[in-house]
Amino acid sequence: MHARELLGVLRMTDTIEVATCVSLSPITPKFGAVVEGVNAKEPLSPAVVASLKEAILQYKVLFLREQNLTSKEQFALAANFGEPYEGRAGRFSRDYE
């Protein structure tokens, strides 16, 4: 079953593997899910990015807990989903530490 189809049948208490190492635990049926099995400090595979994009469409917000990312790592993670906004005064700049 495709990830989108699986996400469509999830109940709030379900946990599902979206890609080989990714699991989602919905917080509510339509808004928010906790992602496990993703190391956001490392480059993500195209399959993981595609799965996370589908999960964003379903749940709107994804929580990757206890990642402790530097600004550069956060910027690299965000770049998987589009051009990151660098914000005022370069706060989210690639050079900010």
Side-chain angles (χ1 to χ4, degrees):
M1 189 179 277
H2 190 270
R4 179 175 291 280
E5 294 168 340
L6 290 172
L7 291 173
V9 297
L10 267 177
R11 292 182 306 269
M12 199 166 123
T13 58
D14 290 341
T15 297
I16 188 167
E17 286 195 22
V18 177
T20 55
C21 63
V22 178
S23 67
L24 295 172
S25 297
I27 295 171
T28 70
K30 301 252 182 210
F31 190 80
V34 176
V35 177
E36 294 184 29
V38 172
N39 181 355
K41 291 180 165 286
E42 301 294 326
L44 302 179
S45 73
V48 170
V49 172
S51 295
L52 293 177
K53 285 180 178 180
E54 293 225 9
I56 288 170
L57 291 175
Q58 176 75 28
Y59 294 106
K60 314 304 182 235
V61 176
L62 301 179
F63 299 94
L64 287 82
R65 295 189 171 154
E66 298 182 26
Q67 294 287 324
N68 298 317
L69 302 176
T70 66
S71 293
K72 288 180 183 181
E73 291 164 341
Q74 175 70 39
F75 202 89
L77 176 64
N80 288 292
F81 304 98
E83 183 65 30
Y85 174 70
E86 293 200 35
R88 251 187 237 166
R91 179 169 176 225
F92 298 106
S93 163
R94 291 174 205 131
D95 299 324
Y96 182 151
E97 284 297 280

